[in-house]
Amino acid sequence: MDLGFIQKLIKQNKTKIVFLVMDGIGGLEDDEHNKTELEAAHTPHLDKLASEGICGLQTPVHAGITPGSGPGHLGVFGYNPITYQVGRGVLAANGIGFELKEGDVAARGNFCTINEQGEVTDRRAGRIPTDQNRHLCSLLNEKVSIPNIDVFIETVKEHRFLVVFRGESLSGHIKDTDPQETGKKPLNPVVMKSDAEDTAGIVRQFISQAREILKEQHPANMVLLRGFSQKPCWPQMPVCFGLKSAAIAAYPMYRGVAKLIGMDVLDTGESIAEEFDTLEKYWDEYDFFYLHVKKTDSHGEDGNFDKKKAVIEELDALIPRLRNLHPDVIVVTGDHSTPSKLKMHSWHPVPVCLWSAFCRRDDVKSFGERAFMKGGLGTHFPAEDIMVLALANANRLEKFGA
Amino acid sequence: MDLGFIQKLIKQNKTKIVFLVMDGIGGLEDDEHNKTELEAAHTPHLDKLASEGICGLQTPVHAGITPGSGPGHLGVFGYNPITYQVGRGVLAANGIGFELKEGDVAARGNFCTINEQGEVTDRRAGRIPTDQNRHLCSLLNEKVSIPNIDVFIETVKEHRFLVVFRGESLSGHIKDTDPQETGKKPLNPVVMKSDAEDTAGIVRQFISQAREILKEQHPANMVLLRGFSQKPCWPQMPVCFGLKSAAIAAYPMYRGVAKLIGMDVLDTGESIAEEFDTLEKYWDEYDFFYLHVKKTDSHGEDGNFDKKKAVIEELDALIPRLRNLHPDVIVVTGDHSTPSKLKMHSWHPVPVCLWSAFCRRDDVKSFGERAFMKGGLGTHFPAEDIMVLALANANRLEKFGA
């Protein structure tokens, strides 16, 4: 849905909306349990929400498409994930919590190995340990020097790092330097649009200095850069949805995505209970809260059915604290499925339950994939419509037309 | 879904996908049985597929739209049938198995009757018998002569024929010559784009020669042409889906559609059992098989409930041969509904069952329209998304975004 269309219908209200996003919540029945993780979990409070709410399965991007965490979250927040795509550099910054300023150009870097002829022999430098990465980043941070430009080199993990260029009139329209195969030399940073001529020159200086600084290092004696990008200028939730919005998320990646769309990111702890503490603490200050539960995904990726189930039960036990705050609209969903049977993100539609006093409840009585297939939101509800529905249930949308 | 978007996500794999397309499979309960043809049929093997798979009803083009066989099939193969439209001339060539070469211009012809003033008195020449059509086509093939151009005139049925012009630099941008009503003269072939000037001249020569050749014939003494078109240049399945693809279809029309999107068309027999022989014979050579069952549609069009039901049972009995091949993904669906109660194609959503080890099964236990209304694919699953879902279940798609 076009966000400009929604924005024109927004009306102000005092109602409060809460999105509980359980990362990778959707599952598959495995051979041992004949149930999915959600179906196997003991979830009296989620079941109560489901029986009082309207339920279904949502598609974050499109039927059959497996979303990364970025697109999965953007969809749930009402932003079409195909329209709103982020560059890899910006994503990397989000992922480690590096706060990009307007105009910064970010790129994802790999430490790599080159031979005497300058040809790449290993694009990942043998996946060096993260500690060695830290050492190399501090070397670069210390020695790289480009007039009028601040350069930040930050460790991500193993061979991966983030580089950010800060200065006047920079542009992200630069092609990757990663040749994508061994036996070739790193590519020159070439402009994709003429506004990036100066930036390309700066990137060339960086690369040539980095090569010099790293030349005695082994096996990481060179860098490859890709995904040059700037923080996108997207519609902000307080404007397009009229919602003063807060994100409660322990992991940098999710805090970053929330920031891109204008949420305030609240300080919080690592546990779900601490996230609920934060929710209670800031309850009066915001219209909209996004509360992120990470470990459902982590355990799904590890193939650990029982631990994923346990996290669901941990969240379930905290639901009464949410209900005690008397929100007007509660949405419980995920950004994608991560069945422990598959040990990865998957394309399967994601359970979604919307609770409000005016939701038109269906016959669903329990919180789970197969129960939700028969729910009032259907089997392939577009994720990006959840926000519109939440706004409607919160009485925050005007009638369209006379 | 944009095929370019899908193509970027394709990854290679060894998995195999089979689409069983039962032409016109969807039905309506009739007054005698209170069941649809599918519901009345004894289908233990299809029921087993349904209970192990995920089921629903799909819309080939759009809710309420009755598809022809071309759009119906294109939808199921992942090609949006409104985006990917074929000219009537190309369709006619497909329908009789005439192999168009690149650059050929094809048109659908009608033999018609004109009076002494040259006005059309019958646009279909009294629907002359097909034998008479054959005689007229051989007359035209013998006598028409246009320098540097090969002209092929081929019988379709009754008053309908196909004409194909083969030569250098031809274009299909020419308007119909059929005035669409009696009492008017046939229209001149007028260009729609300037690249068709030469071709229009060629068509004028053809029409004037045909008029001369046919002038003593009765009642078919003239021709009307429409749907000038060239073989479209569409994304090919091996490229856009990464699937080496084979079509097993006894009828020319379906072989033609399969060729347009890059499937290899395999030699096969007339019966479903012979089609399964072909499937087994070529099993190791392809990633994707489309197997077409024609007679469900033919009997539907004849209003023969029992014979349509019998064809369904005939296919059902062959399913174990398919299962023995151990495909990774099986899709059973149709290109449209042809309820024997209506004796024609209809707009009703078409049953679809997708089976794989990772499909997230629903509670559906039997193969039929009303059972599928409660399935996990919902009641209006877009046909063009079936292929994306099949690719996902075959682990042939990368994650979108990080």
Side-chain angles (χ1 to χ4, degrees), chain A residues 214-241:
Chain A
L214 298 173
K215 71 179 174 195
E216 301 303 332
Q217 300 294 327
H218 180 78
N221 61 353
M222 183 51 174
V223 296
L224 301 173
L225 304 180
R226 43 186 178 146
F228 290 92
S229 45
Q230 294 181 297
K231 204 169 91 170
C233 185
W234 288 347
Q236 301 290 290
M237 282 184 65
V239 178
C240 61
F241 300 138

Side-chain angles (χ1 to χ4, degrees), chain A residues 75-215:
Chain A
V76 166
F77 297 141
Y79 291 71
N80 182 297
I82 296 178
T83 307
Y84 295 94
Q85 294 192 39
V86 198
R88 192 179 282 262
V90 173
L91 267 181
N94 272 353
I96 60 165
F98 183 96
E99 188 142 356
L100 290 175
K101 291 198 199 291
E102 202 115 334
D104 286 359
V105 169
R108 229 300 288 283
N110 275 9
F111 289 110
C112 70
T113 313
I114 56 173
N115 62 19
E116 284 175 9
Q117 288 73 47
E119 296 157 353
V120 177
T121 56
D122 185 339
R123 289 177 54 241
R124 298 182 186 87
R127 293 185 185 275
I128 50 166
T130 305
D131 279 348
Q132 191 174 345
N133 180 317
R134 287 208 187 88
H135 169 66
L136 298 174
C137 284
S138 66
L139 262 185
L140 291 171
N141 273 319
E142 189 185 314
K143 299 194 171 170
V144 164
S145 167
I146 302 173
N148 303 317
I149 300 292
D150 291 328
V151 186
F152 306 88
I153 301 106
E154 304 281 337
T155 295
V156 174
K157 202 179 171 186
E158 296 173 338
H159 55 286
R160 304 181 201 94
F161 66 91
L162 164 76
V163 56
V164 176
F165 302 92
R166 181 170 295 163
E168 296 284 306
S169 307
L170 300 181
S171 158
H173 295 120
I174 295 177
K175 285 196 188 159
D176 296 351
T177 73
D178 186 339
Q180 293 289 340
E181 45 185 319
T182 52
K184 292 196 171 168
K185 293 184 181 178
L187 305 173
N188 257 322
V190 176
V191 302
M192 289 192 287
K193 263 176 82 171
S194 59
D195 69 348
E197 296 287 2
D198 291 351
T199 314
I202 289 159
V203 173
R204 275 193 290 273
Q205 288 181 61
F206 169 73
I207 291 172
S208 106
Q209 291 183 23
R211 183 171 179 161
E212 190 58 28
I213 294 163
L214 298 173
K215 71 179 174 195

Side-chain angles (χ1 to χ4, degrees), chain B residues 215-293:
Chain B
K215 71 178 175 198
E216 300 303 332
Q217 300 294 327
H218 181 79
N221 61 354
M222 183 51 175
V223 296
L224 301 174
L225 304 180
R226 41 185 180 146
F228 291 92
S229 45
Q230 294 181 297
K231 204 167 92 170
C233 185
W234 288 348
Q236 302 288 290
M237 282 183 65
V239 178
C240 61
F241 299 138
L243 296 172
K244 192 178 175 214
S245 302
I248 303 174
Y251 283 64
M253 163 73 198
Y254 310 96
R255 302 162 72 88
V257 170
K259 264 185 210 157
L260 289 179
I261 55 175
M263 290 192 217
D264 289 349
V265 172
L266 305 180
D267 278 334
T268 190
E270 288 270 322
S271 72
I272 313 176
E274 287 169 308
E275 292 186 326
F276 275 70
D277 293 342
T278 308
L279 179 70
E280 287 162 352
K281 180 172 167 194
Y282 287 93
W283 185 247
D284 291 336
E285 294 181 34
Y286 290 92
D287 305 313
F288 175 91
F289 291 90
Y290 148 54
L291 191 149
H292 181 249
V293 174

